Amino acid sequence: MNSRSQAVFSNARPAGFARINRASWIDTLRVVAAVMVPTAAKGVIIRRPIMERLAQRQGLDISAVRQMQRLVKKYGRAPLLLSIPFRPQLLILDPADVSTVLHCSPQPFATATWEKRAALAHFEPKNVLISDASRRAELRPIHEHALASADRLHPSSARFKTIVDSELPEILDGIGADRPNELDWSAFSQAWFRIVRRTVLGDRARNDVTLTKTLNDLRSRANWAFAASIDRRKLRQFQQQLGQYLRQPEEGSLIGRLPKGSDFDLESQVAQWLFAFDAAGIAVFRTLALLACHPSYWAKAVDEVKDPELDRPFTRSCLLEALRLWPTTPVILRELTEEIKGDRTVARGTGVIIFAPFFHRDPELAYANRMEPSIWGPNDTLPTVGFVPFSAGVAICPAHNLVPAIASFAIGALLSQADITLLQPSLTVDDLPGTLNHFDIRLRLSKRPVEARAPHAAAGFPPY
């Protein structure tokens, strides 16, 4: 390590890093089989419906957590070295070490891992996440400014809420003639991506479903990472589609806050936003399912909608609980830029794995398998206990404030007008499952009389 990173790492490092254990071959194979393979199979870049359904049916996520718990009993909490041929991995087992790794990124724990580069190169080949340190220093501030990372509420929050309020009520009138009161992921996601396109690219992108489909095609290929060649023709097509909005950005859109010029590979930067908002939509839909089976929390969220304030801390905490219970980024990856030394040396280039569900569902937590919004308070991350839905440290997701705000607007837009019942699946609130397949969630929406709705909803929403 250079002197600066050595000092930072040494100061932040807990005692656990003084010891690094090595897993046996059989335990390494068990981690690969129970944790790595199912996580990848479900789709890291875009979810695969069949595998999500299988994971829920077979309890694969809970099995992965139990496998990790078994490792702790056998080896203790020190980082565990998995001697995978050609690609050794350091598995983090202590929440204190989660905090260390994330707060010591990108040096010596780089965000640009081999696995990320292989996957993201399919649709955002020059994104900040897979850039070297010098390029990252140029690109990260662009994201932070456009997404207003440091602000609890984005400067354009009022506009974003107007977008949400003009899109989601359509669901109540157009879910389908055959199932007029039922909401599934297909119907919700169509409205959600209209919101996303208008928020990111501007109103004229509202109906550009071709752009979303092109990106999804690239993401499907990216699920295979290095095992699939890059579809360069489709990548160029996607970048050209994005380029038409970037050349003439609309005021009030997120891209309207980007710098002018082509020095920053803006297509690659914006692709990440569109990609990440997919996970946000999944979290919103799961939050609605949670609230539907928790009457007291549902009532509190409905009351919060009545407040004209844009910040909705309780609804935000409910979203964070959905992300804790079912993280949309279950694995956080880092890569060592320099060797580290405890009682054994770990070579430069070794991967680092933080498997979030292991910490989120720790059986020592009284609320491990139930919804408990109160644990969040004003926080979006709690790295010292391993709760990092948006990562943490200097590499925290730059939308860690923006996403919960827009999500709370979306949840509020539906709660303000309708009562929600969870039709499928059946959830036991004191023992929530390890997997909640959003493709199979079914909600019944029952419109409340106008006089019973939240005050701002009674006035109606401006048409698009």
Side-chain angles (χ1 to χ4, degrees), residues 126 128 131-145 259 263-266 269:
K126 298 182 180 179
V128 62
S131 299
D132 60 29
S134 61
R135 184 61 169 163
R136 177 185 175 81
E138 296 173 345
L139 295 175
R140 176 75 187 195
I142 294 170
H143 288 262
E144 292 179 346
H145 173 74
D263 294 339
F264 301 107
D265 300 299
L266 296 182
Q269 312 317 317

Side-chain angles (χ1 to χ4, degrees), residues 228-460:
S229 61
I230 297 173
D231 187 339
R232 300 194 181 278
R233 181 195 62 79
K234 184 156 284 189
L235 176 59
R236 284 193 299 272
Q237 176 187 342
F238 172 66
Q239 292 176 335
Q240 289 167 0
Q241 290 170 322
L242 263 185
Q244 67 177 324
Y245 300 107
L246 289 166
R247 284 190 295 273
Q248 294 180 311
E250 288 186 23
E251 185 176 354
S253 66
L254 290 177
I255 63 171
R257 293 171 60 86
L258 288 169
K260 302 298 186 289
S262 58
D263 294 339
F264 301 107
D265 300 299
L266 296 182
E267 289 85 356
S268 280
Q269 312 317 317
V270 175
Q272 174 65 24
W273 303 350
L274 296 171
F275 159 43
F277 266 114
D278 184 10
I282 293 170
V284 169
F285 203 48
R286 287 170 173 165
T287 304
L288 290 169
L290 273 178
L291 289 172
C293 55
H294 288 82
S296 62
Y297 295 150
W298 178 89
K300 191 170 181 178
V302 170
D303 284 343
E304 192 171 57
V305 177
K306 299 174 185 178
D307 193 317
E309 291 292 327
L310 292 178
D311 188 17
R312 295 172 179 173
F314 180 74
T315 306
R316 188 179 183 120
S317 294
C318 292
L319 175 84
L320 292 170
E321 271 298 86
L323 287 168
R324 176 183 69 85
L325 291 161
W326 305 290
T328 51
T329 304
V331 178
I332 297 175
L333 301 177
R334 293 291 186 265
E335 184 172 292
L336 284 174
T337 59
E338 301 157 13
E339 70 175 24
I340 61 172
K341 293 182 179 179
D343 58 341
R344 72 175 74 243
T345 297
V346 181
R348 173 185 178 182
T350 298
V352 179
I353 299 174
I354 297 171
F355 185 60
F358 167 62
F359 302 101
H360 296 183
R361 296 297 189 113
D362 188 334
E364 294 183 7
L365 300 171
Y367 50 82
N369 297 313
R370 63 177 172 81
M371 184 182 183
E372 188 55 65
S374 65
I375 65 177
W376 294 97
N379 306 297
D380 291 333
T381 60
L382 297 167
T384 57
V385 290
F387 296 176
V388 285
F390 296 100
S391 189
V394 297
I396 191 171
C397 172
H400 72 98
N401 275 317
L402 176 65
V403 163
I406 294 179
S408 69
F409 299 156
I411 294 165
L414 292 176
L415 295 186
S416 66
Q417 296 199 57
D419 295 328
I420 299 177
T421 305
L422 180 63
L423 299 176
Q424 181 182 314
S426 176
L427 296 181
T428 303
V429 295
D430 291 327
D431 189 21
L432 292 167
T435 307
L436 181 58
N437 176 18
H438 62 286
F439 294 109
D440 285 349
I441 292 174
R442 300 289 186 276
L443 300 170
R444 175 178 289 124
L445 305 184
S446 304
K447 275 188 176 181
R448 290 194 295 275
V450 171
E451 61 272 13
R453 299 180 193 171
H456 75 275

Side-chain angles (χ1 to χ4, degrees), residues 82-334:
L82 307 175
S83 299
I84 299 172
F86 308 110
R87 189 56 176 162
Q89 300 284 339
L90 195 63
L91 187 62
I92 302 301
L93 299 173
D94 191 326
D97 292 344
V98 172
S99 184
T100 294
V101 168
L102 297 181
H103 284 94
C104 291
S105 297
Q107 286 286 109
F109 300 103
T111 59
T113 70
W114 174 69
E115 295 86 356
K116 280 185 191 175
R117 291 193 296 268
L120 299 185
H122 284 270
F123 63 96
E124 49 183 55
K126 298 182 180 179
N127 184 263
V128 62
L129 287 173
I130 51 176
S131 299
D132 60 29
S134 61
R135 184 61 169 163
R136 177 185 175 81
E138 296 173 345
L139 295 175
R140 176 75 187 195
I142 294 170
H143 288 262
E144 292 179 346
H145 173 74
L147 305 175
S149 300
D151 299 331
R152 175 90 169 178
L153 287 172
H154 194 280
S156 298
S157 288
R159 178 181 184 275
F160 297 157
K161 182 178 180 299
T162 299
I163 291 173
V164 171
D165 287 349
S166 67
E167 293 291 352
L168 283 183
E170 290 188 13
I171 286 175
L172 298 171
D173 300 318
I175 295 174
D178 57 331
R179 293 179 298 173
N181 298 316
E182 188 172 321
L183 177 64
D184 60 13
W185 171 249
S186 177
F188 175 79
S189 64
Q190 289 177 45
W192 177 254
F193 282 111
R194 289 197 298 270
I195 292 168
V196 171
R197 289 190 295 268
R198 292 178 66 186
T199 298
V200 175
L201 304 175
D203 290 340
R204 64 193 174 100
R206 178 185 189 263
N207 296 316
D208 194 350
V209 294
T210 302
L211 174 72
T212 301
K213 183 182 184 306
T214 304
L215 176 57
N216 287 347
D217 289 345
L218 291 169
R219 289 172 58 201
S220 295
R221 201 170 183 88
N223 268 345
W224 296 96
F226 56 85
S229 61
I230 297 173
D231 187 339
R232 300 194 181 278
R233 181 195 62 79
K234 184 156 284 189
L235 176 59
R236 284 193 299 272
Q237 176 187 342
F238 172 66
Q239 292 176 335
Q240 289 167 0
Q241 290 170 322
L242 263 185
Q244 67 177 324
Y245 300 107
L246 289 166
R247 284 190 295 273
Q248 294 180 311
E250 288 186 23
E251 185 176 354
S253 66
L254 290 177
I255 63 171
R257 293 171 60 86
L258 288 169
K260 302 298 186 289
S262 58
D263 294 339
F264 301 107
D265 300 299
L266 296 182
E267 289 85 356
S268 280
Q269 312 317 317
V270 175
Q272 174 65 24
W273 303 350
L274 296 171
F275 159 43
F277 266 114
D278 184 10
I282 293 170
V284 169
F285 203 48
R286 287 170 173 165
T287 304
L288 290 169
L290 273 178
L291 289 172
C293 55
H294 288 82
S296 62
Y297 295 150
W298 178 89
K300 191 170 181 178
V302 170
D303 284 343
E304 192 171 57
V305 177
K306 299 174 185 178
D307 193 317
E309 291 292 327
L310 292 178
D311 188 17
R312 295 172 179 173
F314 180 74
T315 306
R316 188 179 183 120
S317 294
C318 292
L319 175 84
L320 292 170
E321 271 298 86
L323 287 168
R324 176 183 69 85
L325 291 161
W326 305 290
T328 51
T329 304
V331 178
I332 297 175
L333 301 177
R334 293 291 186 265

